[in-house]
């Protein structure tokens, strides 16, 4: 569960600030944040993922304040690729599992589950840098779920996805929600976003209505 | 070991390492039969070995530079990943340092021992020598790798996706070259009995030199620790 109260985060570098007076998302629920380009979606998701440092107000993740939350609880799917392009999906997954102190077998289990909804097994041994945008998005999604987070934050979920991939994405999205994962997804595409979330809210000039 | 794999997956790094290995092999081949048959004086052995020692620092220097130039700087783009992982900042900095130390140590020790064997310096062909050489280089390479990695994380901003700026590279090369040359000069002038001791020419290691050795190690380790902590802090405070 995520509870946000009077959140304010300034970004002097961009001359921008994020404000959210109240937002509460229960476990197993997906919330959508929509808004046009430059409205502050990415900065908001980064703030929730704990990437932007100190903030005022309160962000509670499973009853623990964000700054005290163990990072393993959060899964983040960023707009930009932060995975090592020179590694394959399998190698990257093993690397991440090692950092999370999880066993390598977890990769096979997660891959079986994920591939039943969105087939990524065909490119597990291909270097990440050689993947297409759609394939990369699926890989980013997969790796953000490797450590079984309780909260998943997604920035632009439909980035690079075609119609078929969007359906696969939605299937995974629904499945993780059934597993009681709390999801916050931010996108400029309101029509697509509305199909996969239960609650939605708008962001405009950094302010969440 | 995953960090080492990440280093070598970078094509520029791989090509440079291959070039360096070719360079090392060339020097080793050239070392064969350099020393004439017959008895060789300890002074000659020592002098000859020192020349190899100077050359030995090149792989270390090169590896540290290339790691920073092509790998760590490229990984500044992956800085966000470190902030998503538990203790990620700390792991990133320390794993890079450990990997750089292992690579430098592997290439340098292997090179020195191969050069000793190829040139027939029987005085240095002992297990004791190999152990002492490796042990002493661990400290040197660890400190140098800490410096390189800390420098990369602290002063490269990751805005440039294509690698470090030329000015920063030149500053780094100058600083590392000066540090390595000064270190080598200091060792040659002040720790003259070390190689005599580890090769068996001297049975007792002088107390003064031993104390100097320990003090140097302490300074190196403390310096390395401070630099790594600073780099971790920088990474921790960084916003994405």
């Amino acid at each position: 569960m995520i509870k946000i109260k009077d959140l304010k985060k300034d970004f002097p570098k961009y001359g921008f600030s994020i404000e959210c007076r109240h937002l509460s998302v229960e476990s197993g629920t997906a919330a959508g944040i929509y808004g046009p380009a430059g409205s502050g979606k990415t900065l908001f998701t980064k703030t929730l993922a704990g990437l932007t440092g100190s903030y005022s107000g309160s962000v509670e993740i499973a009853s623990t304040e964000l700054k005290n939350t163990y990072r393993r609880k959060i899964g983040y799917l960023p707009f930009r690729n932060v995975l090592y392009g020179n590694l394959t999906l399998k190698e990257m997954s093993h690397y991440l599992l090692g950092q999370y102190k999880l066993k390598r077998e977890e990769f096979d289990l997660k891959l079986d589950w994920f591939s039943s909804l969105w087939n990524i097994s065909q490119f597990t041994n291909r270097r990440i840098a050689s993947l297409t945008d759609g394939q990369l998005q699926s890989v980013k999604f997969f790796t953000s779920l490797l450590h079984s987070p309780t909260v998943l934050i997604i920035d632009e979920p439909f980035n690079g996805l075609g119609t078929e991939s969007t359906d696969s994405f939605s299937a995974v999205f629904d499945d993780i929600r059934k597993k009681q994962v709390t999801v916050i997804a931010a996108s400029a595409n309101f029509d697509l976003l509305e199909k996969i979330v239960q609650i939605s809210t708008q962001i405009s000039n950094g302010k969440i209505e | 070991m995953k960090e080492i794999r990440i280093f070598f997956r970078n094509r520029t790094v791989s090509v440079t390492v291959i070039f360096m290995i070719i360079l090392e092999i060339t020097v080793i081949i050239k070392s064969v039969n350099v020393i004439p048959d017959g008895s060789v004086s300890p002074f000659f052995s020592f002098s000859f070995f020192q020349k190899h020692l100077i050359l030995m620092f090149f792989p270390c220097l090169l590896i540290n530079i290339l790691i920073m130039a092509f790998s760590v700087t490229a990984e500044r783009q992956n800085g966000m990943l470190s902030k998503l992982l538990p203790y990620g900042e700390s792991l990133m900095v320390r794993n890079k340092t450990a990997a750089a130390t292992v690579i430098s140590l592997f290439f340098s020790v292997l090179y020195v021992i191969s050069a000793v064997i190829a040139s027939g310096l029987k005085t240095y062909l002992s297990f004791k020598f190999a152990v002492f050489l490796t042990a002493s280089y661990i400290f040197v390479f660890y400190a140098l790798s800490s410096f390189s990695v800390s420098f990369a994380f602290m002063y490269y901003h990751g805005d440039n996706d294509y690698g470090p700026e030329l000015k920063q590279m030149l500053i780094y090369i100058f600083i590392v070259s000066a540090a390595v040359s000064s270190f080598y000069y200091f060792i040659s002038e002040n720790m003259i009995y070390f190689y005599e001791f580890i090769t068996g020419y001297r049975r007792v290691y002088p107390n003064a030199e031993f104390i100097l050795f320990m003090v140097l190690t302490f300074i190196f380790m403390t310096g390395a620790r401070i630099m790594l902590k600073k780099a971790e802090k920088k990474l921790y405070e960084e916003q994405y």
Side-chain angles (χ1 to χ4, degrees), chain A residues 83-97:
Chain A
L83 305 173
Y84 290 112
N86 289 325
L87 297 186
T88 63
L89 169 60
K90 194 174 184 177
E91 290 165 342
M92 187 70 222
S93 301
H94 285 166
Y95 174 80
L96 291 172
L97 287 169

Side-chain angles (χ1 to χ4, degrees), chain A residues 2 25-34 45 75-77 113-119 137-138 140-142 144-145 149-159 161 164-187 189-200:
Chain A
I2 297 182
V25 189
E26 297 292 327
S27 298
T29 307
I33 312 289
Y34 66 93
T45 57
Y76 181 56
L77 198 164
W113 161 72
F114 197 93
S115 290
S116 67
L117 301 162
W118 192 351
N119 192 14
Q137 187 71 351
S138 64
K140 279 157 60 184
F141 198 14
F142 175 75
S144 69
L145 295 168
T150 51
V151 167
L152 180 67
I153 297 152
I154 310 175
D155 186 16
E156 292 297 351
F158 312 107
N159 181 27
L161 299 183
E164 202 179 314
S165 305
T166 304
D167 292 341
S168 303
F169 180 91
S170 304
V172 180
F173 197 88
D174 283 341
D175 207 58
I176 54 168
R177 212 169 40 72
K178 283 177 194 158
K179 289 177 177 168
Q180 295 302 301
V181 175
T182 310
V183 189
I184 289 190
S187 175
N189 194 330
F190 177 71
D191 294 338
L192 284 175
L193 190 67
E194 208 183 35
K195 285 180 188 168
I196 59 167
V197 298
Q198 282 71 56
I199 51 172
S200 58

Side-chain angles (χ1 to χ4, degrees), chain A residues 44 89 108 203:
Chain A
F44 179 66
L89 169 60
D108 298 316
I203 185 167

